[in-house]
Amino acid sequence: MVYYGGILYTPVATPEFNLGIQAAYGYEDTSFMNGDIPPSYQLQPVDDYASGSTHLALKLRWNINEKITFSENAKYQHSLKNTDYYNWNATTKLQFKLSEHISFFTEYEFDFENNLFIESVQDAIALTRAKGKPTGTIDEMDTTISAGITVEF
């Protein structure tokens, strides 16, 4: 369960440029599915976690001209109970209007997360390696690069 509350301030709001800055307090109650993890995975159970957190966000849209738009959305979340746990997420998008209803876009997104579950998996990987067994890895950051066509009606 997640609750958020805060303010969004828009210091610039014009047809060509829009900038929004958000600050909020949140409370998250996270439950991990420890009973569903197969014993062969050798993962230590992860305690359920409840904590307040701070949230900061930036939303930017810039209509460079009538055919090209740049946008950026970034979010940062930081746990207040354990300051080692945090999350960064950002999406950058460039959109080219080809006609009134069709546009082409290219987008880059990253999501970086450090939390109890990731720590548990990293500990299990380290134990497996210490036993001399081959093992995979877990990435704290996911990235996506995409391109596509948007049709608007």
Side-chain angles (χ1 to χ4, degrees):
M1 199 172 301
V2 179
Y3 302 96
Y4 294 103
I7 59 169
L8 172 64
Y9 174 62
T10 307
V12 181
T14 68
E16 295 82 24
F17 191 83
N18 188 294
L19 174 66
I21 302 167
Q22 182 179 28
Y25 171 81
Y27 182 82
E28 297 191 25
D29 190 355
T30 305
S31 297
F32 296 97
M33 300 181 305
N34 292 311
D36 295 336
I37 300 173
S40 62
Y41 287 8
Q42 299 179 354
L43 292 178
Q44 297 298 318
V46 179
D47 293 334
D48 292 344
Y49 189 75
S51 174
S53 57
T54 58
H55 301 265
L56 302 172
L58 172 77
K59 296 180 181 193
L60 174 119
R61 183 196 37 76
W62 176 27
N63 292 329
I64 298 169
N65 60 40
E66 65 180 44
K67 301 262 185 203
I68 302 172
T69 301
F70 172 82
S71 62
E72 170 76 29
N73 291 318
K75 296 182 288 183
Y76 176 73
Q77 174 187 346
H78 200 104
S79 171
L80 297 174
K81 183 176 181 181
N82 184 333
T83 56
D84 290 338
Y85 303 144
Y86 53 92
N87 177 279
W88 270 103
N89 177 278
T91 303
T92 302
K93 184 176 185 178
L94 196 55
Q95 190 157 348
F96 303 90
K97 193 168 191 173
L98 303 174
S99 70
E100 183 179 350
H101 300 289
I102 299 173
S103 59
F104 170 79
F105 72 89
T106 183
E107 183 176 82
Y108 173 77
E109 179 179 1
F110 79 87
D111 190 2
F112 181 89
E113 188 167 8
N114 188 41
N115 63 32
L116 283 167
F117 180 74
I118 289 173
E119 283 186 2
S120 176
V121 172
Q122 287 172 334
D123 290 346
I125 289 170
L127 288 173
T128 303
R129 282 198 184 119
K131 294 176 185 174
K133 296 180 180 178
T135 184
T137 60
I138 183 169
D139 291 328
E140 294 173 325
M141 186 163 87
D142 296 321
T143 58
T144 305
I145 297 174
S146 58
I149 294 176
T150 304
V151 179
E152 298 175 348
F153 294 101

